[in-house]
Structures are given as C-alpha cells and as structure tokens.
Amino acid sequence: MIEVESLTKHRAGLPVLDAVSLRGVDGGVTVLVGPSGGGKSTLLRCLNGLETFEGGGITIAGHRLAVGPHSDVGLHELRRDVGMVFQQFNLFPHLSVLDNVMLAPRAVLKVPAEEARSRALDLLNRVGLGSFAAARPATLSGGQQQRVAIARALAMRPRVMLFDEPTSALDPSMTSEVLDVIMDLAKAGQTMVVVTHDHGFAKRAATLVVELVAGRVARQGRAEEIL
Ligand SMILES: Nc1ncnc2c1ncn2[C@@H]1O[C@H](COP(=O)(O)OP(=O)(O)O)[C@@H](O)[C@H]1O
Ligand SMILES: [Mg+2]
C-alpha cells in the first residue's frame, strides 16, 4: 500500500528528508514519532503530493510519485485515495457540518446529492456527531471539529489516511474522543499513517513505529521495541 524509497527533500539547500525509506507497509497503522523538526510533517506532505522532492520515489495506494513536478491529473487521482487530517482542522466555516462532509464527494466524485447526504450522515454518526449535522463548525468544540474533519476525509473512501498530530491543537480533555475515533478506524482495517506524540495510542494502535530524527529514519519496529 505504501512504499517509500530513499526519499530526499531539501529546503534552502539543507536536507529535511535524507534518504528515507519505508518498505512493505501493506495496511495497518504506521506511527511516526521523533523530535520536532525531524521531518514528520514533510514526509506526510510528500505522501499526499503536497510537496515535491529531489530524490527517491513513493508508491502509495497504487499511485507513483517521482522526482520533479507532480501532474495535476496525477494529484487529483492520488488525493481521492489518500486522505489527510491536519493539526488545525481547516473546516469550511461558512458551511454546515453536513455540507463540509458532503462537499468533496459531490464536487469531485459527482456523487448524487441524496446519496452523498446519507453517506455523510452515516459518517457523522460513526464519529458520534450525527446530531450536529446542521451546526456551523465554529459552534463545536475543538475535539468535535476534528472528528468532523475525520468524517470529511473518510467521505472520499480513501485507501490511506494520513494524520498529522491530530490532537496536538486540542485540550487534553478532548484528545481521547479523537484518538478513540482513529482507533476505531484502525480496528476496521483502515490503512493509516499517524504522526503523534501519544505513546499510549501508538502502543495500542501501531503495527509499525518509525522514528524520524533530523530527516533520517533513526529506528523502526514494533511499538514495544521503539517506545
Ligand atoms: N516551509 C518551510 N520552509 C523552510 N523550512 C521548513 C518549512 N517547513 C519545515 N521546514 C523545516 O524542515 C524541517 C522538518 O520540518 P517538519 O517536517 O515540519 O518536522 P516535524 O513535523 O517532524 O516537526 C525542519 O527543520 C523545519 O524547520
Ligand atoms: Mg510536524
């Protein structure tokens, strides 16, 4: 599902990813850990085609990313299959919760309105927010907004989900409600790459833990070995 070969990315002449390889991630939950500035976000952004890179290559959900500019068509197809949830939820403030979740399936996949609506409601129920469908995002707590962001990403039925520190902008009291949703996805077999400092979550969920330090894979293995 995910293969990264010797990925190298420079910024201002310095390597922020230095020959990073991940092999044989065939499903499961890969947790990225490591100190701030180690390259975790950059790696996730490369996996979703948000960044170009100078060396190596990526295969993800059947898509191939190589050195040089990515084609618009390629990115369009990639992002149907690879969903991303950010630290800041980035919901559309002027749309209801339901419309946030329906938007991409309607606009990108051309799913008919009624079907998109019923799927979006199912997803909101799955993240425990069915009763908030008509609300504006700003009226929800941070934890609730992040769960909407997860539902919105799932609405595209991605083969891989990427999470970049999904709970680090939240009050600690809201962390578990979001991690529980991500844990449920893991149990349902969703392939995921999760950047998190929550070692408890990593120990429960991770099939593979990868530690990135200064742009290199310092260690990788099972959670019990690494954490
Ligand atoms: N937009 C940017 N411009 C220049 N340098 C950046 C930018 N974003 C990140 N970096 C640098 O790239 C390195 C890796 O950052 P990042 O991937 O955000 O690490 P992490 O997510 O592990 O904290 C850091 O040294 C950071 O300063
Ligand atoms: Mg980061």
Side-chain angles (χ1 to χ4, degrees):
M1 192 71 90
I2 305 173
E3 189 114 332
V4 177
E5 305 118 52
S6 209
L7 187 69
T8 298
K9 163 135 192 106
H10 295 265
R11 262 196 244 274
L14 295 171
V16 292
L17 294 175
D18 189 1
V20 168
S21 293
L22 293 178
R23 293 216 175 73
V25 178
D26 195 13
V29 181
T30 302
V31 171
L32 292 180
V33 299
S36 179
K40 303 180 296 297
S41 294
T42 304
L43 175 57
L44 276 200
R45 291 167 56 80
C46 285
L47 290 176
N48 200 27
L50 287 166
E51 304 265 11
T52 58
F53 45 86
E54 284 76 47
I58 296 170
T59 307
I60 183 163
H63 304 278
R64 178 77 195 160
L65 292 167
V67 169
H70 303 318
S71 83
D72 286 346
V73 174
L75 286 183
H76 196 72
E77 290 175 352
L78 173 80
R79 292 199 186 129
R80 278 191 218 173
D81 289 332
V82 182
M84 186 144 169
V85 173
F86 301 88
Q87 188 177 335
Q88 303 296 343
F89 336 115
N90 300 325
L91 296 173
F92 300 109
H94 61 293
L95 296 180
S96 70
V97 162
L98 183 70
D99 285 336
N100 264 277
V101 180
M102 285 176 61
L103 184 66
R106 291 277 292 130
V108 178
L109 302 180
K110 311 294 180 202
V111 176
E114 269 319 299
E115 187 186 339
R117 183 186 166 79
S118 98
R119 272 209 235 160
L121 281 170
D122 284 348
L123 285 167
L124 287 172
N125 284 322
R126 189 168 168 192
V127 300
L129 293 172
S131 60
F132 291 81
R136 291 292 162 107
T139 65
L140 273 56
S141 73
Q144 290 169 333
Q145 290 188 54
Q146 188 61 303
R147 287 186 280 150
V148 174
I150 293 170
R152 181 177 60 173
L154 290 173
M156 295 296 280
R157 297 183 171 165
R159 296 179 65 199
V160 178
M161 283 277 280
L162 309 175
F163 292 88
D164 194 355
E165 300 201 27
T167 61
S168 58
L170 300 176
D171 288 342
S173 64
M174 294 167 190
T175 296
S176 66
E177 69 187 52
V178 171
L179 291 180
D180 286 350
V181 165
I182 299 174
M183 195 69 213
D184 285 345
L185 295 177
K187 286 184 189 142
Q190 175 75 54
T191 301
M192 302 191 274
V193 182
V194 184
V195 176
T196 181
H197 297 290
D198 193 306
H199 287 189
F201 171 81
K203 285 176 182 156
R204 280 190 296 148
T207 43
L208 175 69
V209 176
V210 177
E211 183 186 37
L212 274 186
V213 178
R216 287 172 169 264
V217 176
R219 295 186 299 163
Q220 61 178 303
R222 291 181 304 124
E224 309 87 85
E225 298 160 359
I226 306 295
L227 301 176

